[in-house]
Amino acid sequence: KAGVTQTPRYLIKTRGQQVTLSCSPISGHRSVSWYQQTPGQGLQFLFEYFSETQRNKGNFPGRFSGRQFSNSRSEMNVSTLELGDSALYLCASSVTPGHLKETQYFGPGTRLLVL
Amino acid sequence: GNSVTQMEGPVTLSEEAFLTINCTYTATGYPSLFWYVQYPGEGLQLLLKATKADDKGSNKGFEATYRKETTSFHLEKGSVQVSDSAVYFCALGGSQGNLIFGKGTKLSVKP
């Protein structure tokens, strides 16, 4: 069974631009979560989607948004990019929405560099 | 709220040495506990998990036991290899559906 896939793997953007990242979950997984990883802040939760609905959101500004499609694929968008948005963005999928017991499986990540 | 405290590295060991990476947690409810590993330039891979107290998760020679009395989930391996060099993250399931991670421990194994 194929794992979580993320595209693109690398991106370079300039301040003020916007970017869209894509994630395809493991077949049969209906929940997708996004995380931001930076050296300073570590791994931080962005949001979670299930059945095309955002279930939970982390403490990030409204410039960060996402959506999920009927085939469970998900996209996240960052508008008006800032230098501090440079990070590795990780997507994770699980069978059902994340809770205390659910296991999440991660993709390889998209590395975003904002210049 | 739920939180994870993980020993900070870096940890440098010689090949075949014994490894322990400490992880303690604070949690309401009974979350699952996880260890993930991140190799250079890659995403996170699930290494092992435990879903309830006294469960032992194991994989590739690594193991960790869910200790409710000491709120710990320490990662151990009896004999590390150069290929184990990576960053290791302890995590637990959060009440909002997210995983809560420790800061990560970088392990370097020298031949």
Side-chain angles (χ1 to χ4, degrees):
Chain A
K1 189 184 277 191
V4 178
T5 58
Q6 293 186 244
T7 57
R9 292 293 309 277
Y10 304 93
L11 268 178
I12 300 176
K13 293 286 187 178
T14 56
R15 279 180 299 174
Q17 287 186 309
Q18 74 165 13
V19 66
T20 299
L21 313 182
S22 180
C23 171
S24 292
I26 292 171
S27 178
H29 286 198
R30 298 174 59 200
S31 179
V32 173
S33 297
W34 290 88
Y35 295 81
Q36 181 196 65
Q37 184 180 25
T38 59
Q41 299 299 316
L43 284 150
Q44 294 185 286
F45 172 69
L46 281 157
F47 28 64
E48 178 193 31
Y49 285 87
F50 176 75
S51 291
E52 303 176 62
T53 302
Q54 185 181 91
R55 291 186 72 248
N56 291 296
K57 190 177 193 301
N59 190 24
F60 279 82
R63 300 185 297 107
F64 291 81
S65 63
R67 59 178 176 168
Q68 186 181 33
F69 303 94
S70 59
N71 62 357
S72 297
R73 190 176 70 85
S74 177
E75 290 181 346
M76 68 163 281
N77 183 275
V78 187
S79 61
T80 320
L81 283 166
E82 300 177 358
L83 295 179
D85 297 333
S86 295
L88 180 66
Y89 290 89
L90 292 162
C91 168
S93 76
S94 57
V95 175
T96 54
H99 55 77
L100 299 180
K101 297 291 191 185
E102 190 69 26
T103 301
Q104 296 185 20
Y105 297 89
F106 285 80
T110 294
R111 187 165 296 281
L112 172 65
L113 177 61
V114 182
L115 301 176
Chain B
N2 293 1
S3 65
V4 174
T5 302
Q6 182 178 345
M7 67 181 278
E8 296 195 26
V11 174
T12 302
L13 296 173
S14 297
E15 207 164 23
E16 298 184 4
F18 184 85
L19 168 71
T20 300
I21 300 178
N22 290 336
C23 172
T24 57
Y25 66 90
T26 302
T28 53
Y30 301 95
S32 289
L33 299 175
F34 307 90
W35 278 100
Y36 285 87
V37 59
Q38 186 173 37
Y39 298 100
E42 298 185 11
L44 299 177
Q45 295 180 23
L46 177 66
L47 182 59
L48 54 83
K49 68 177 183 180
T51 59
K52 60 184 187 296
D54 299 325
D55 261 5
K56 178 186 283 188
S58 61
N59 185 27
K60 299 182 182 179
F62 291 90
E63 58 182 35
T65 301
Y66 192 160
R67 301 281 188 205
K68 192 164 181 292
E69 64 277 11
T70 55
T71 61
S72 64
F73 192 55
H74 305 322
L75 182 68
E76 296 182 336
K77 186 176 186 183
S79 176
V80 294
Q81 306 300 311
V82 172
S83 57
D84 294 328
S85 298
V87 181
Y88 292 81
F89 293 92
C90 183
L92 60 78
S95 57
Q96 289 195 312
N98 55 310
L99 284 171
I100 297 169
F101 289 91
K103 293 188 179 300
T105 301
K106 183 175 182 180
L107 170 66
S108 295
V109 181
K110 307 298 183 186

